[in-house]
Amino acid sequence: MDSRWIGLGASCLMIGVWLVAFGLPTKHNDVGWVFWAAAVQLAVGYYVGKYVHSLQHMAYHDSLTGVLVNRRFVSRMNHEVEMARRSKYPVTLLFIDLDNFKKYNDQHGHLEGDRILCHFATVLQACVRRQDAVGRWGGEEFVVLLPHTDTKKGLAIGERIQKQVREELAGVTVSIGVASFPLHAADAMQLTEKADTLMYEAKKKKDCMLAATN
């Protein structure tokens, strides 16, 4: 739940407890003060919750690209894989790397490299659904988690990503490793290792996508 509404709810609870304990005042002036104090309490609760929410967002999201940071993505993936195990649905993981990014950085400078990373993150988010998760694994490596998605559908999304990158990021391509739970891995760690290994194999060819086969 959003921290803003938790803060607001906590304020409402405090006001309710106060009213139950002391009751409503009978004097007209006192009633006005009570409503004023309640309004202040609600506002404080909401803005404290809003501040906590902003801190949480900064902790969970990469400061440059806005996608999930590594640790938050891993937590989300572990949870999703366990949900998939219980409910028996597939989860597909895409490991994605920008080809020759170091060379691009050296030629165009780090500011341009940062711009490419931000644009790429935007492309990834546009290519997936709201329920999917996009994260930055580290450097120029990104990950996409696709719940309720088998390998075939995951490959289609990977192809869409590659196509959009070629069209929007001139001269830049990506290599992708694709693996699915439970077909290729027994848990989230195995899923990560499988997709990561495939991505590194794909990078040898550049602008390539490889999927697990067993």
Side-chain angles (χ1 to χ4, degrees), residues 1-12 45-50 53:
M1 182 182 291
D2 194 316
S3 300
R4 291 169 291 188
W5 301 114
I6 294 176
L8 194 60
S11 294
C12 289
Y46 177 81
Y47 283 104
V48 168
K50 185 177 181 180
H53 178 74

Short mmCIF file of all heavy atoms in Angstrom, two decimals, residues 1-12 45-50 53:
data_model
loop_
_atom_site.label_atom_id
_atom_site.label_comp_id
_atom_site.label_asym_id
_atom_site.label_seq_id
_atom_site.Cartn_x
_atom_site.Cartn_y
_atom_site.Cartn_z
N MET A 1 0.85 -1.20 0.00
CA MET A 1 0.00 0.00 0.00
C MET A 1 0.89 1.25 0.00
O MET A 1 1.94 1.26 0.63
CB MET A 1 -0.92 0.00 1.22
CG MET A 1 -1.88 1.17 1.27
SD MET A 1 -2.90 1.18 2.75
CE MET A 1 -3.95 -0.24 2.43
N ASP A 2 0.44 2.30 -0.65
CA ASP A 2 1.15 3.56 -0.72
C ASP A 2 1.33 4.13 0.69
O ASP A 2 0.39 4.23 1.46
CB ASP A 2 0.35 4.53 -1.59
CG ASP A 2 1.17 5.74 -1.99
OD1 ASP A 2 1.86 6.29 -1.13
OD2 ASP A 2 1.09 6.13 -3.17
N SER A 3 2.56 4.56 1.00
CA SER A 3 2.87 5.10 2.33
C SER A 3 2.05 6.33 2.65
O SER A 3 1.78 6.63 3.82
CB SER A 3 4.35 5.44 2.43
OG SER A 3 5.14 4.29 2.21
N ARG A 4 1.65 7.11 1.63
CA ARG A 4 0.84 8.31 1.87
C ARG A 4 -0.48 7.95 2.52
O ARG A 4 -0.94 8.64 3.45
CB ARG A 4 0.62 9.05 0.56
CG ARG A 4 1.88 9.69 0.00
CD ARG A 4 1.68 10.18 -1.42
NE ARG A 4 1.53 9.06 -2.35
CZ ARG A 4 1.50 9.21 -3.67
NH1 ARG A 4 1.60 10.42 -4.20
NH2 ARG A 4 1.38 8.17 -4.45
N TRP A 5 -1.10 6.87 2.04
CA TRP A 5 -2.39 6.47 2.59
C TRP A 5 -2.23 5.78 3.94
O TRP A 5 -3.14 5.84 4.78
CB TRP A 5 -3.13 5.58 1.60
CG TRP A 5 -3.34 6.29 0.30
CD1 TRP A 5 -2.80 5.98 -0.91
CD2 TRP A 5 -4.12 7.47 0.09
NE1 TRP A 5 -3.18 6.89 -1.86
CE2 TRP A 5 -3.99 7.82 -1.29
CE3 TRP A 5 -4.89 8.28 0.93
CZ2 TRP A 5 -4.63 8.94 -1.83
CZ3 TRP A 5 -5.52 9.39 0.37
CH2 TRP A 5 -5.39 9.70 -0.98
N ILE A 6 -1.09 5.14 4.16
CA ILE A 6 -0.82 4.57 5.48
C ILE A 6 -0.72 5.69 6.51
O ILE A 6 -1.28 5.60 7.61
CB ILE A 6 0.47 3.73 5.45
CG1 ILE A 6 0.29 2.50 4.56
CG2 ILE A 6 0.88 3.32 6.86
CD1 ILE A 6 1.53 1.67 4.38
N GLY A 7 0.01 6.76 6.14
CA GLY A 7 0.13 7.90 7.04
C GLY A 7 -1.21 8.54 7.32
O GLY A 7 -1.53 8.90 8.46
N LEU A 8 -2.03 8.68 6.28
CA LEU A 8 -3.36 9.27 6.44
C LEU A 8 -4.23 8.38 7.31
O LEU A 8 -4.96 8.85 8.19
CB LEU A 8 -4.00 9.46 5.06
CG LEU A 8 -5.24 10.35 4.99
CD1 LEU A 8 -4.92 11.77 5.46
CD2 LEU A 8 -5.77 10.39 3.56
N GLY A 9 -4.15 7.07 7.09
CA GLY A 9 -4.93 6.13 7.88
C GLY A 9 -4.53 6.14 9.35
O GLY A 9 -5.38 6.07 10.25
N ALA A 10 -3.21 6.24 9.59
CA ALA A 10 -2.73 6.31 10.97
C ALA A 10 -3.26 7.56 11.66
O ALA A 10 -3.63 7.53 12.84
CB ALA A 10 -1.20 6.29 10.99
N SER A 11 -3.30 8.67 10.94
CA SER A 11 -3.83 9.92 11.50
C SER A 11 -5.31 9.78 11.84
O SER A 11 -5.76 10.23 12.89
CB SER A 11 -3.62 11.07 10.51
OG SER A 11 -2.25 11.33 10.33
N CYS A 12 -6.07 9.16 10.94
CA CYS A 12 -7.50 8.94 11.20
C CYS A 12 -7.70 8.07 12.44
O CYS A 12 -8.60 8.32 13.25
CB CYS A 12 -8.15 8.27 9.99
SG CYS A 12 -8.31 9.35 8.55
N GLY A 45 -0.07 13.62 8.68
CA GLY A 45 0.01 12.19 8.38
C GLY A 45 0.21 11.93 6.90
O GLY A 45 1.03 11.09 6.51
N TYR A 46 -0.51 12.67 6.08
CA TYR A 46 -0.41 12.49 4.63
C TYR A 46 0.99 12.87 4.13
O TYR A 46 1.62 12.14 3.37
CB TYR A 46 -1.45 13.33 3.91
CG TYR A 46 -1.36 13.25 2.40
CD1 TYR A 46 -1.90 12.17 1.72
CD2 TYR A 46 -0.70 14.24 1.66
CE1 TYR A 46 -1.82 12.08 0.34
CE2 TYR A 46 -0.61 14.16 0.29
CZ TYR A 46 -1.16 13.08 -0.37
OH TYR A 46 -1.06 12.99 -1.74
N TYR A 47 1.51 14.02 4.58
CA TYR A 47 2.80 14.49 4.07
C TYR A 47 3.98 13.69 4.63
O TYR A 47 4.99 13.53 3.95
CB TYR A 47 2.97 15.98 4.31
CG TYR A 47 2.17 16.79 3.33
CD1 TYR A 47 0.98 17.41 3.70
CD2 TYR A 47 2.57 16.89 2.00
CE1 TYR A 47 0.22 18.12 2.78
CE2 TYR A 47 1.82 17.61 1.08
CZ TYR A 47 0.66 18.22 1.47
OH TYR A 47 -0.08 18.91 0.55
N VAL A 48 3.85 13.18 5.85
CA VAL A 48 4.87 12.27 6.37
C VAL A 48 4.89 11.00 5.53
O VAL A 48 5.94 10.48 5.14
CB VAL A 48 4.63 11.96 7.86
CG1 VAL A 48 5.51 10.79 8.31
CG2 VAL A 48 4.93 13.18 8.71
N GLY A 49 3.70 10.48 5.24
CA GLY A 49 3.60 9.30 4.40
C GLY A 49 4.15 9.54 3.00
O GLY A 49 4.82 8.68 2.42
N LYS A 50 3.89 10.75 2.49
CA LYS A 50 4.41 11.10 1.16
C LYS A 50 5.93 11.14 1.15
O LYS A 50 6.59 10.70 0.21
CB LYS A 50 3.84 12.46 0.75
CG LYS A 50 4.20 12.90 -0.67
CD LYS A 50 3.54 14.23 -1.01
CE LYS A 50 3.89 14.65 -2.44
NZ LYS A 50 3.26 15.95 -2.79
N HIS A 53 7.21 7.66 1.26
CA HIS A 53 7.02 7.07 -0.07
C HIS A 53 8.13 7.51 -1.03
O HIS A 53 8.64 6.70 -1.80
CB HIS A 53 5.66 7.50 -0.62
CG HIS A 53 5.37 6.99 -2.00
ND1 HIS A 53 5.04 5.68 -2.26
CD2 HIS A 53 5.38 7.62 -3.22
CE1 HIS A 53 4.85 5.52 -3.55
NE2 HIS A 53 5.06 6.67 -4.16
#
